[in-house]
Amino acid sequence: MIIILIIFLSLIQFSSTDQILRANIGQDVTFSCFFENESQIDQLSFMHQTTGDILSVGLELFLDESLTTNHMKLIRLSSNRLDLKIFQVNQNDSGLYTCMFNDEKLSSYLLEIFIPPRFISFFPLEASVSYPEGSSINLSCHAYAFPSVNITWIYRNKDKQLKTIHNGEDIYISSLESTDSGSYECIASNGYHATISRSFYVTVQYPPRVKIDKFIDFNIRPIQIKCEICSIPLSRIEWFRNGINIINEQYFIIKTNAIIVDDKNCLSSILIIHDSPHEKYGRYECQAENFLGHYSDHIDYHSKIIPHPKSGNEQFALLILLNNTNEISNSSLSLYQLFNTYILLIIINLLFFL
């Protein structure tokens, strides 16, 4: 048994005399066998050494009848040449073929079937997926081809700017950031066939980022408080004054529009405060919420309290204080000026209580 195995393995060893034939799936391939004289043809045989199958002896094929004319055929071209032709080769036809005269090898062919790339698995299955910020993600593309394929990953952001980020079947991101949103494309190529690709669009979801513009001139009417909200998905926005929800009414108007901030889809909400019999002083809060959380920002609108002097002495002290304050704000501070201002404040407080 061992001797038979050794003989068999010796038959299938590739040698330098083997002719290499390469073909794509679906092409036709011909193996030619040359011999010395016509009387030898009955002792000729074609073998598929890789599978151990004897394909023919003499001019007779040993195949299933359905394959004899559709897949393989013996063609005698001359008195000393016999061809074995395989029509529309497939992956199972690859391997070593020999033409034998009794035990003598007359010719041998190593048939390599080139298989164009095709995906055998990929993840995720959907073309578009969403993940919360901070979560991990694994993208994978597995492809088969002969020769084997190389997998390259290309990332494209919202501006269609692209860069190569990985070579290999799998890509892993341990903690997603909002800037990771974009298209991830895996490209499979083997240098012989057309490349194939698979794209995944990843959307990174995050809770609202809320920011109120604090540089507001409350002397300009109507007063406008601007709030900028960025989030995925978009948030529900509400305004509050001193903790009480504000709705559109006579003195309050809320306008919300879509804007782009740092390449992100955001919202701009503007609270417009119209003149009313009573000033709408208080704390104004812009609050946004989506399923990942709710956040807010606020600004305080207060009246400017200016003391009203009761006597001439108070008027004189207040005038000195205001003059000194202006001098301090328009020049470099000194310990002497700070001491004088501190004394004047004490004098004014004493005058108010007299």
Side-chain angles (χ1 to χ4, degrees):
M1 182 67 181
I2 296 176
I3 296 175
I4 296 174
L5 179 60
I6 293 173
I7 294 173
F8 178 75
L9 291 175
S10 66
L11 288 174
I12 65 171
Q13 290 296 319
F14 302 157
S15 67
S16 60
T17 59
D18 296 334
Q19 300 181 54
I20 298 177
L21 297 179
R22 294 184 173 95
N24 289 319
I25 288 180
Q27 290 182 334
D28 298 340
V29 174
T30 299
F31 307 117
S32 297
C33 184
F34 295 90
F35 46 93
E36 292 181 359
N37 56 69
E38 189 173 358
S39 62
Q40 295 177 325
I41 195 167
D42 291 334
Q43 284 77 45
L44 291 180
S45 63
F46 278 99
M47 296 184 63
H48 191 183
Q49 298 282 9
T50 305
T51 61
D53 294 333
I54 299 175
L55 305 177
S56 70
V57 174
L59 296 176
E60 184 180 357
L61 283 171
F62 294 112
L63 296 172
D64 186 276
E65 291 183 358
S66 63
L67 299 176
T68 301
T69 56
N70 294 333
H71 193 55
M72 288 188 184
K73 185 178 182 180
L74 287 171
I75 304 172
R76 186 174 180 180
L77 294 178
S78 66
S79 60
N80 67 338
R81 175 179 173 181
L82 183 65
D83 289 352
L84 174 66
K85 186 169 185 177
I86 304 179
F87 299 94
Q88 297 182 347
V89 296
N90 57 55
Q91 185 177 352
N92 295 328
D93 294 321
S94 63
L96 182 64
Y97 291 80
T98 59
C99 174
M100 307 290 292
F101 174 67
N102 293 327
D103 293 334
E104 180 186 355
K105 183 170 68 173
L106 300 180
S107 60
S108 61
Y109 299 87
L110 177 60
L111 177 59
E112 295 180 347
I113 305 299
F114 280 15
I115 303 171
R118 73 177 187 275
F119 288 115
I120 55 177
S121 68
F122 48 79
F123 184 83
L125 300 179
E126 302 84 1
S128 180
V129 291
S130 299
Y131 291 89
E133 187 178 45
S135 61
S136 62
I137 181 175
N138 184 74
L139 305 175
S140 67
C141 279
H142 297 260
Y144 176 78
F146 184 82
S148 59
V149 298
N150 294 316
I151 303 291
T152 302
W153 288 89
I154 304 294
Y155 168 75
R156 290 180 177 84
N157 61 17
K158 291 183 178 180
D159 295 330
K160 307 301 181 182
Q161 297 174 336
L162 59 87
K163 62 179 179 179
T164 301
I165 57 173
H166 185 65
N167 291 303
E169 295 178 331
D170 300 280
I171 183 169
Y172 178 74
I173 302 175
S174 59
S175 181
L176 285 169
E177 300 178 0
S178 59
T179 53
D180 292 323
S181 290
S183 173
Y184 294 79
E185 182 182 14
C186 67
I187 301 173
S189 62
N190 66 355
Y192 290 91
H193 301 93
T195 61
I196 59 173
S197 63
R198 170 85 181 175
S199 294
F200 310 91
Y201 194 89
V202 176
T203 299
V204 180
Q205 301 169 321
Y206 56 93
R209 283 131 163 123
V210 182
K211 180 182 177 182
I212 283 183
D213 182 6
K214 301 298 175 63
F215 298 95
I216 300 176
D217 187 350
F218 287 101
N219 295 316
I220 298 177
R221 301 306 171 98
I223 298 170
Q224 295 189 21
I225 304 177
K226 299 178 181 179
C227 182
E228 178 183 289
I229 307 99
C230 297
S231 67
I232 296 178
L234 293 177
S235 301
R236 180 172 62 90
I237 303 171
E238 292 182 301
W239 283 91
F240 293 86
R241 173 175 174 257
N242 296 329
I244 300 174
N245 184 259
I246 297 174
I247 58 175
N248 285 318
E249 56 180 49
Q250 182 179 1
Y251 303 113
F252 295 109
I253 301 295
I254 300 172
K255 294 182 178 181
T256 302
N257 299 297
I259 59 173
I260 302 295
V261 179
D262 296 331
D263 298 328
K264 297 177 182 178
N265 295 321
C266 302
L267 294 174
S268 173
S269 184
I270 302 176
L271 174 65
I272 302 173
I273 308 173
H274 290 281
D275 288 338
S276 64
H278 304 285
E279 285 292 340
K280 301 293 185 180
Y281 298 126
R283 170 162 292 188
Y284 288 86
E285 180 183 6
C286 174
Q287 186 179 106
E289 179 179 8
N290 65 12
F291 77 96
L292 292 171
H294 68 275
Y295 292 86
S296 65
D297 194 11
H298 69 270
I299 188 170
D300 294 321
Y301 172 34
H302 297 301
S303 62
K304 295 181 180 179
I305 302 175
I306 301 176
H308 297 285
K310 301 176 183 178
S311 64
N313 289 334
E314 291 181 12
Q315 292 178 359
F316 177 72
L318 183 60
L319 179 61
I320 294 175
L321 174 61
L322 293 175
N323 287 336
N324 275 272
T325 302
N326 290 334
E327 289 178 4
I328 293 172
S329 61
N330 294 326
S331 62
S332 60
L333 292 175
S334 67
L335 292 176
Y336 178 76
Q337 289 173 319
L338 290 173
F339 178 76
N340 286 343
T341 303
Y342 177 73
I343 296 299
L344 287 172
L345 286 173
I346 295 175
I347 294 173
I348 291 173
N349 286 328
L350 290 173
L351 290 173
F352 284 162
F353 286 103
L354 292 178

